[in-house]
Amino acid sequence: MPRKIGVVLKGYPRLSETFIAQELLALERAGLTLNLISLRHPTDKKRHPVHEEIKAPVNYLPEYLHQEPLRVLRGWWRARKLPGYKRVRRIWLQDLKRDLTRNRVRRFGQALVLAAELESDIEWLYGHFIHTPGSVTRYAAQMHGLPFSFSAHAKDIWTSPDWELNEKLNDARWTATCTAGGANHLKSLADSDDAVALIYHGLDLSRFDPTPVESSGRTGGKDAPIELVTVGRAVEKKGLDTLIEALSKLPLDLHWRWTHIGGGPLLSKLKTQVETLNLQEKVAFRGALPQVEVLETYRRSDLFVLPCRIAADGDRDGLPNVIVEAESQGLPCISTPISGIPELIDDGVNGLLVPPDDPGALAGAIEQLSRDPQLRHQFGRAGQERVERDFNAANEIKALLALFGEAPVTIPS
């Protein structure tokens, strides 16, 4: 069992990746020493409380090679003396022939710096996620002859070429993924089923305390509008444009307010859509928020809505952690049967699933639950029970520690 692990991250800290921060903290509490290696500097102005509790130091690699040319040159000069350098260089050149992009060059340059600067007592490299961070992890680890592993989640699975996934899965000690659909896809590409482990993301229930489920009793009257909430980046796969169109189709006698939490490149376009449909008086875009404020919003809302879709480039969610969070608070959820979402939401039992890109069906689901506080209460309690049973972070960390080679230990709850 390694006592010191280098964790390679695309960016750190990130408000949209609380599940990673939670995992890092749990690994530290289990006795592992971590060093965090980030490919990018943070862009979020705020941090979650969990980030303040993580003790691991962070080393930022050159985000773009031209920004730190001397550091990259020193990295190459030192890394070329490592035992695995020539083999890794051959692997990278093969990768570059199949993917002639600047990003592929940047991955190798970052790996050179990481390999050259890696602390001598690090015994394992672990990459979140299997695409770009996975390449940097693989190159650097093989230069040193270290064991390495990956996590794989959503975009990194579905937008990476099969040849690359095959080679990474076969070279790594293991790859952990968070949905059955993702696990099955990766297993179909690996030479052995043992290369892939299914581990659901769990919640730290000490932070997301499952409070007693109480329906507001609101039914969308003029003086008590239904409070809808969505948490997620404004990107194509979240289906937020479909949600806005669905809101415009709700009956005039159903009063509602919708709060969106999250940043993202499509935010301006979504705001324009809201104004075009004359919904701005009922919609609040709050941007990215720390976990405490997100939790407060869950608790004062009536419905969580996230109509995920498969994007044009194949990108899709795995099982959005925000749905697990919302259900932990007894908040009934409406989503779509994409990827791992049906592994949490059982349609008609603890939420509703509608077809993606169908604003009419989505509007119907919102209206149904808005007018029925008893059904919201029923779904909310069932969802909360499911999270407490199957999505507890303690179970996740025990499984992860077993992959690293240690027998199950007692994890602080």
Side-chain angles (χ1 to χ4, degrees):
M1 174 71 181
R3 301 311 304 175
K4 191 168 186 179
I5 297 172
V7 183
V8 182
L9 304 149
K10 188 173 182 179
Y12 182 86
R14 303 179 84 179
L15 289 177
S16 62
E17 294 177 353
T18 54
F19 65 95
I20 291 180
Q22 179 178 281
E23 179 185 292
L24 297 176
L25 180 60
L27 289 174
E28 284 191 335
R29 287 176 173 173
L32 296 181
T33 300
L34 307 180
N35 268 31
L36 309 184
I37 302 110
S38 179
L39 309 188
R40 294 181 180 177
H41 290 269
T43 57
D44 297 317
K45 296 179 181 179
K46 300 178 182 179
R47 296 163 65 98
H48 292 310
V50 64
H51 292 129
E52 307 300 337
E53 299 178 42
I54 295 170
K55 297 181 175 62
V58 186
N59 176 33
Y60 290 97
L61 298 178
E63 190 163 340
Y64 296 98
L65 304 186
H66 68 269
Q67 293 175 335
E68 298 183 70
L70 294 180
R71 188 180 177 196
V72 175
L73 183 61
R74 286 194 300 269
W76 167 76
W77 186 257
R78 296 172 186 170
R80 68 189 181 89
K81 301 175 184 178
L82 294 172
Y85 171 77
K86 290 183 179 179
R87 176 174 178 271
V88 170
R89 185 175 179 274
R90 288 195 298 271
I91 292 172
W92 170 67
L93 287 173
Q94 291 175 349
D95 293 345
L96 186 62
K97 288 179 183 178
R98 293 174 288 188
D99 178 33
L100 191 58
T101 61
R102 291 181 179 178
N103 184 42
R104 188 66 60 174
V105 175
R106 184 164 62 246
R107 296 182 197 193
F108 187 63
Q110 290 175 320
L112 292 172
V113 174
L114 171 55
E117 298 178 359
L118 195 68
E119 295 189 12
S120 60
D121 55 349
I122 288 180
E123 303 172 61
W124 192 297
L125 287 181
Y126 175 40
H128 276 295
F129 307 95
I130 200 170
H131 56 345
T132 302
S135 294
V136 176
T137 299
R138 179 191 183 202
Y139 296 152
Q142 290 185 322
M143 287 185 208
H144 279 277
L146 290 175
F148 62 96
S149 55
F150 309 119
S151 72
H153 300 274
K155 180 178 181 179
D156 52 332
I157 297 175
W158 301 107
T159 63
S160 296
D162 288 353
W163 62 262
E164 183 172 10
L165 290 173
N166 169 262
E167 293 173 10
K168 286 178 175 177
L169 291 166
N170 293 335
D171 283 354
R173 290 291 180 92
W174 45 263
T175 295
T177 191
C178 57
T179 69
N184 290 336
H185 179 67
L186 292 174
K187 287 179 180 180
S188 74
L189 298 173
D191 291 350
S192 169
D193 284 354
D194 294 339
V196 181
L198 171 60
I199 303 178
Y200 287 117
H201 291 154
L203 281 186
D204 180 350
L205 297 180
S206 67
R207 296 181 191 276
F208 287 84
D209 181 27
T211 55
V213 177
E214 295 181 8
S215 174
S216 67
R218 289 188 283 254
T219 57
K222 186 174 182 180
D223 297 328
I226 289 292
E227 297 288 347
L228 311 171
V229 61
T230 298
V231 182
R233 297 186 70 243
V235 292
E236 183 185 358
K237 66 182 178 181
K238 301 297 183 181
L240 300 182
D241 55 329
T242 299
L243 173 53
I244 293 170
E245 187 176 349
L247 294 175
S248 73
K249 294 179 178 295
L250 292 172
L252 294 178
D253 68 334
L254 180 66
H255 298 273
W256 52 270
R257 287 193 291 251
W258 176 53
T259 298
H260 172 260
I261 296 174
L266 298 182
L267 205 55
S268 177
K269 186 176 180 180
L270 294 174
K271 290 179 179 178
T272 299
Q273 183 185 6
V274 165
E275 292 173 1
T276 300
L277 294 171
N278 199 28
L279 301 176
Q280 58 269 33
E281 303 257 336
K282 301 178 179 181
V283 172
F285 289 99
R286 299 190 60 197
L289 295 177
Q291 197 174 69
V292 171
E293 294 183 51
V294 175
L295 185 56
E296 290 173 353
T297 307
Y298 288 146
R299 288 177 174 169
R300 63 172 178 260
S301 298
D302 297 300
L303 281 175
F304 181 92
V305 189
L306 187 66
C308 302
R309 62 154 70 100
I310 298 175
D313 65 356
D315 187 15
R316 69 201 73 177
D317 272 306
L319 200 174
N321 206 51
V322 291
I323 298 180
V324 185
E325 293 175 357
E327 294 231 332
S328 79
Q329 300 307 299
L331 193 57
C333 296
I334 301 173
S335 192
T336 57
I338 295 294
S339 299
I341 295 171
E343 296 169 46
L344 171 62
I345 297 180
D346 188 356
D347 185 36
V349 176
N350 63 331
L352 294 177
L353 298 176
V354 300
D357 301 310
D358 190 336
L362 182 57
I366 293 172
E367 181 182 5
Q368 179 186 358
L369 287 181
S370 294
R371 297 195 189 277
D372 193 340
Q374 182 56 41
L375 188 58
R376 295 202 304 270
H377 180 274
Q378 177 184 321
F379 283 178
R381 184 59 194 142
Q384 193 174 63
E385 290 173 353
R386 179 72 195 282
V387 169
E388 291 177 16
R389 183 178 69 245
D390 298 330
F391 292 86
N392 189 320
N395 298 329
E396 172 193 356
I397 298 305
K398 287 178 183 178
L400 195 57
L401 287 170
L403 289 178
F404 279 118
E406 182 167 300
V409 296
T410 301
I411 307 300
S413 59

